[in-house]
Amino acid sequence: MATATLTIDLDALLSNWRALDAQSAAQTAAVVKADGYGLGADRVARALMRAGVDRFFVAAAEEGAALRQAVGPAPEINVFSGHMRGDADMISDMMLTPMLNSTEQIVRHLEALPAHPFGVQLDTGMNRLGLEAPEWAAVQDLIMQRGPTLLMSHLACADEPDHPMNPRQLSAFKEMTDGLDVPRSLSATGGILLGSDYHFDLTRPGVGLYGGMPFVDATPVVSLSVPVIQVRDVAAGESVGYGNMWIAQRDSRVATIAAGYADGIIRAMGEKVDVFAEESRCPMIGRISMDMIGVDVTDARAEPQTVELLGQHQSVDTLAEAAGTIGYEILTSMGQRYQRRYKSS
Ligand SMILES: *Cc1c(COP(=O)(O)O)cnc(C)c1O
């Protein structure tokens, strides 16, 4: 086995979805943008359908089209970026539901596909996507006559439960939508954990399904096993890797493993990450190369054939911290070279 293996535990994925679903009385969708946060949107979505998910969110129409091929005609597929120029045929043929983000998108959609379902995204302070309050006030009557499927907004600081932005966005959302007879959605993973005020009719978890923070009780979904290419003796005083960054303080055994920054093992992790040879914790040493990393296996109980970088011993958030980033980026950076294996009972 020459390439690293990313194992995706679909049972863990479903158990995370069920746990998040149980936190609210709302309907629970699933966000599978960026190829299911790097884990394979088709497999992830088909598994989630078995747990009862019938509504997915993606970032762009192209993702929605690919997902439609994988899940068939039944589930609703919502597109966060809305109706972009040139997308009308795809939206129509692939039965996608755009979340319209601007007056321009509303005009484009109603002109091109007057009878085709759509939702509306409102901006409640994040200033990323969606209509602002005055724009919404101007088109609200027109939109309400057309029967939107959903009114949604997105929280900027939901991973910080005490942040004053959360209640501010909540009240802005209510002001813009109270009394309207349309399903509403405000919360992704972080918002679900803020409590029932934030749930409305539909929640949209992503990262929590895949085992990442801020869902602290998530079951790990991914494990990453990396083969050892070669093990060598390195005498005290000798160096390992680019720039001679690591110098052996004692006679050592050093394994070179088959993954690097081209596979999403971000170079900035440097020597802050350990890997596991069975139960032995072994430090990564020297600079991370494009396709290889050095590991000090001197103290491993047995010389390993593979090492574990993610799994029961180490989560995506541990790696994220070492790289100064978030679990989302670790997940979505995981390389195309990995062999993806799906595990379910
Ligand atoms: C990505 C995204 C989500 C899912 O967010 P998580 O934090 O991964 O749960 C939900 N809604 C919108 C608008 C998003 O962009």
Side-chain angles (χ1 to χ4, degrees):
M1 182 60 62
T3 63
T5 305
L6 191 67
T7 302
I8 294 136
D9 182 344
L10 296 173
D11 293 335
L13 173 84
L14 298 200
S15 116
N16 288 333
W17 182 83
R18 289 194 183 100
L20 289 167
D21 183 49
Q23 302 248 349
S24 85
Q27 187 192 352
T28 306
V31 179
V32 296
K33 62 193 179 190
D35 198 24
Y37 289 51
L39 304 187
D42 48 352
R43 298 297 301 268
V44 159
R46 287 203 300 266
L48 287 165
M49 284 170 71
R50 293 202 300 273
V53 178
D54 59 6
R55 196 158 178 172
F56 295 102
F57 285 84
V58 294
E62 285 78 3
E63 288 183 347
L67 183 64
R68 178 62 74 205
Q69 312 275 10
V71 298
E76 183 173 327
I77 300 176
N78 297 283
V79 180
F80 285 136
S81 61
H83 189 144
M84 294 179 60
R85 201 199 318 267
D87 279 355
D89 285 348
M90 198 181 287
I91 287 170
S92 169
D93 296 348
M94 295 295 171
M95 298 176 292
L96 309 177
T97 307
M99 299 290 115
L100 305 179
N101 287 301
S102 62
T103 316
E104 187 189 2
Q105 287 201 348
I106 290 169
V107 171
R108 180 182 295 139
H109 185 77
L110 295 182
E111 279 180 358
L113 302 170
H116 190 92
F118 66 92
V120 176
Q121 178 154 204
L122 302 171
D123 181 58
T124 51
M126 188 176 187
N127 282 310
R128 192 174 66 168
L129 284 181
L131 298 170
E132 300 200 358
E135 296 175 293
W136 172 234
V139 298
Q140 183 178 321
D141 288 346
L142 166 76
I143 293 293
M144 293 306 294
Q145 286 163 22
R146 302 292 191 124
T149 57
L150 189 68
L151 299 178
M152 62 162 283
S153 189
H154 193 51
L155 297 167
C157 305
D159 56 344
E160 296 176 59
D162 297 326
H163 202 294
M165 186 68 165
N166 297 319
R168 231 187 293 153
Q169 287 192 265
L170 176 62
S171 62
F173 188 57
K174 286 176 129 169
E175 230 160 84
M176 291 165 88
T177 59
D178 268 353
L180 300 177
D181 190 19
V182 181
R184 295 187 282 180
S185 177
L186 180 60
S187 287
T189 303
I192 294 173
L193 305 171
L194 295 179
S196 58
D197 287 352
Y198 289 82
H199 295 161
F200 296 93
D201 303 296
L202 177 80
T203 62
R204 315 181 305 266
V207 75
L209 307 176
Y210 308 106
M213 293 283 269
F215 184 30
V216 284
D217 297 327
T219 309
V221 172
V222 287
S223 50
L224 177 59
S225 164
V226 184
V228 172
I229 306 171
Q230 187 179 45
V231 184
R232 67 177 59 245
D233 290 312
V234 177
E238 287 189 309
S239 63
V240 170
Y242 284 122
N244 294 359
M245 287 303 286
W246 188 81
I247 308 223
Q249 302 297 308
R250 57 176 176 166
D251 291 344
S252 303
R253 289 286 285 168
V254 170
T256 300
I257 66 171
Y261 60 75
D263 304 295
I265 311 305
I266 299 169
R267 193 167 170 280
M269 287 175 195
E271 296 187 337
K272 285 172 282 188
V273 168
D274 296 331
V275 303
F276 291 83
E278 301 293 339
E279 297 305 313
S280 311
R281 175 186 284 272
C282 305
M284 289 194 340
I285 58 171
R287 289 236 173 98
I288 294 173
S289 299
M290 186 185 295
D291 325 294
M292 283 166 270
I293 309 169
V295 174
D296 181 357
V297 297
T298 315
D299 295 328
R301 263 198 278 144
E303 203 145 279
Q305 308 239 306
T306 62
V307 296
E308 186 192 281
L309 202 44
L310 283 171
Q312 293 304 327
H313 296 98
Q314 187 154 266
S315 73
V316 288
D317 291 292
T318 316
L319 288 194
E321 196 167 318
T325 182
I326 52 176
Y328 300 72
E329 189 178 3
I330 299 296
L331 283 169
T332 55
S333 303
M334 286 195 293
Q336 285 313 309
R337 280 199 290 215
Y338 293 151
Q339 188 192 354
R340 282 167 171 70
R341 275 191 16 212
Y342 296 87
K343 193 172 82 173
S344 70
S345 56

